[in-house]
Amino acid sequence: MQHGSPADRDRNEQGRAQQARPRDALGRPLPYGVVGVEPISEEPLPPAETLAYARRLLDEGRPFAAHEALEVRWKSGPDEERELWQGLAQLCVGLTHHERGNGVGAARLVERAAGRLASYERGGGPAYDLDLAALVACARGRVQGG
């Protein structure tokens, strides 16, 4: 059986899909047995800790891992903040695509994130001291400028 096929998918104790295959810094799967980057914790963190963790991962050149950290928060946090965390995660996926050389995908994800974050901001939800417009502008600059 080939690794990665649905019947041979990695599962956790609860039977949920969980990728145990090693990955590189940009989230690409590596062959089993190869040493990849350290997987992130899937333990939900409070908002400020989530943001600090995601920032640290971005500073380490791991936008895919930052996306995963933000995704944990969006799936565990309050529904009314879902757009914030999804938008931030999409920015990181856009940066991931940029780093992988997929400029079209990067631009599309950043624009999707921009719309989500603008909508969230208009709704007046907590932004945890983030300047959402500046984050979007920074991501746009990265994916458009090289």
Side-chain angles (χ1 to χ4, degrees), residues 103-128:
V104 172
R108 284 183 183 153
L109 277 158
V110 167
E111 290 313 308
R112 196 174 305 150
R116 192 178 296 279
L117 292 171
S119 173
Y120 179 79
E121 198 162 41
R122 283 191 301 274
Y128 301 100

Side-chain angles (χ1 to χ4, degrees), residues 4 19-32 34 36 64 100:
Q19 186 57 259
R21 190 168 170 185
R23 293 187 175 268
D24 71 9
L26 294 176
R28 294 174 290 220
L30 297 169
Y32 285 94
V34 171
F64 183 80
R100 290 178 178 177

Side-chain angles (χ1 to χ4, degrees), residues 9-10 14 19 30 41-42 46 52 66 70 72 108 110 127 133 135 137:
R9 206 156 173 200
D10 299 320
Q14 293 79 35
Q19 186 57 259
L30 297 169
S41 168
E42 293 188 26
L70 295 161
V72 169
R108 284 183 183 153
V110 167
L135 288 174

Side-chain angles (χ1 to χ4, degrees), residues 54-101:
R55 180 60 194 218
R56 194 166 55 252
L57 291 165
L58 285 168
D59 289 346
E60 292 171 6
R62 296 182 62 193
F64 183 80
H67 143 263
E68 290 181 312
L70 295 161
E71 185 176 62
V72 169
R73 179 69 197 166
W74 113 44
K75 291 182 177 182
S76 64
D79 286 344
E80 58 272 12
E81 293 181 15
R82 185 177 178 102
E83 292 285 298
L84 171 67
W85 300 106
Q86 280 185 322
L88 294 172
Q90 284 178 323
L91 284 180
C92 291
V93 175
L95 295 174
T96 299
H97 280 285
H98 172 71
E99 293 296 322
R100 290 178 178 177

